[in-house]
Amino acid sequence: MGVYIFTPEDLVRYGSATEDQLEALRKALLERRDILIVGSSRSGKTKLVEALMHFIPDDRKVAVITAYGEFKPFKPNIVVIDTQFDNRPLEMRTSEVISKIRAINPDYVVIDTIHTIDAARVFRELIDDYAFIVTSLALTDDIKDEVKHWLRIDDETFGKFDVVVELKRDWRTGRKSINRIYRVKDGELIPQE
């Protein structure tokens, strides 16, 4: 049995996103904005990334950094850099990933909730060179502090992101949806209308 890749239309169909929310994210993607997608465990972060990747034109390269084969390359312009814990030091694994990203020279870099490399170092070294789409846990309502904790980034790096998408999961029904989209201005979250 294959893995189903969600599309933007699926998100609207199942009430996970509105057409207006997806249009705002499509526009941000095409403008190569840096996007953070945050939510609790099982809130739909990876599914949203998959759906958004349908908006990326096929002539633009995407490097996806994931762990243990979690992300499947479903379009020809997607290159997956798979990571895992091994006997090499964290810094060595991170240097290898940075080298691979530079060799691919993608238009977009996706980092999908991984802790097998030093994501903060990847951001410090590459965020000014590529458009990032990043997922992060956020287990409390203090999104900024949660992202800084889980990604191990500082205020300056957080401030380089342009858009933050907050996901929510209704634990009673299991429904996953975009709760709010923020723009980042001077390191602070400003709700989009």
Side-chain angles (χ1 to χ4, degrees), residues 79-172:
V79 177
V80 173
I81 301 171
D82 197 39
T83 65
Q84 59 186 329
F85 287 111
D86 56 26
N87 60 358
R88 296 176 301 148
L90 177 70
E91 286 306 308
M92 183 180 290
R93 290 192 307 268
T94 304
S95 293
E96 181 180 293
V97 167
I98 290 170
S99 294
K100 287 180 179 180
I101 292 169
R102 286 187 172 135
I104 295 166
N105 194 27
D107 297 285
Y108 302 88
V109 176
V110 175
I111 296 183
D112 189 26
T113 312
I114 58 168
H115 302 287
T116 53
I117 63 167
D118 182 353
R121 178 177 162 208
V122 173
F123 299 138
R124 283 192 309 272
E125 293 189 27
L126 300 178
I127 199 164
D128 292 329
D129 300 327
Y130 305 102
F132 275 82
I133 305 165
V134 180
T135 63
S136 174
L137 281 173
L139 302 177
T140 72
D141 290 333
D142 191 341
I143 294 170
K144 184 176 179 180
D145 277 353
E146 286 289 292
V147 169
K148 287 170 50 181
H149 170 75
W150 291 107
L151 295 179
R152 296 178 179 88
I153 61 175
D154 58 19
D155 284 321
E156 180 181 354
T157 303
F158 182 86
K160 291 188 178 196
F161 285 91
D162 302 297
V163 176
V164 175
V165 182
E166 178 189 21
L167 302 179
K168 290 288 184 188
R169 180 174 185 213
D170 183 323
W171 293 100
R172 290 170 292 137

Side-chain angles (χ1 to χ4, degrees), residues 21-35 52 55-57 60 107-109 127-133 160-163 181-184 192:
Q21 289 170 328
L22 289 177
E23 180 56 25
L25 294 173
R26 185 190 70 77
K27 183 178 177 188
L29 271 174
L30 295 178
E31 292 173 353
R32 295 185 176 155
R33 303 281 185 215
D34 294 311
I35 300 172
L52 293 179
F55 291 137
I56 298 174
R60 294 187 186 173
D107 297 285
Y108 302 88
V109 176
I127 199 164
D128 292 329
D129 300 327
Y130 305 102
F132 275 82
I133 305 165
K160 291 188 178 196
F161 285 91
D162 302 297
V163 176
I181 299 174
Y182 302 89
R183 64 183 172 89
V184 180
Q192 287 187 338

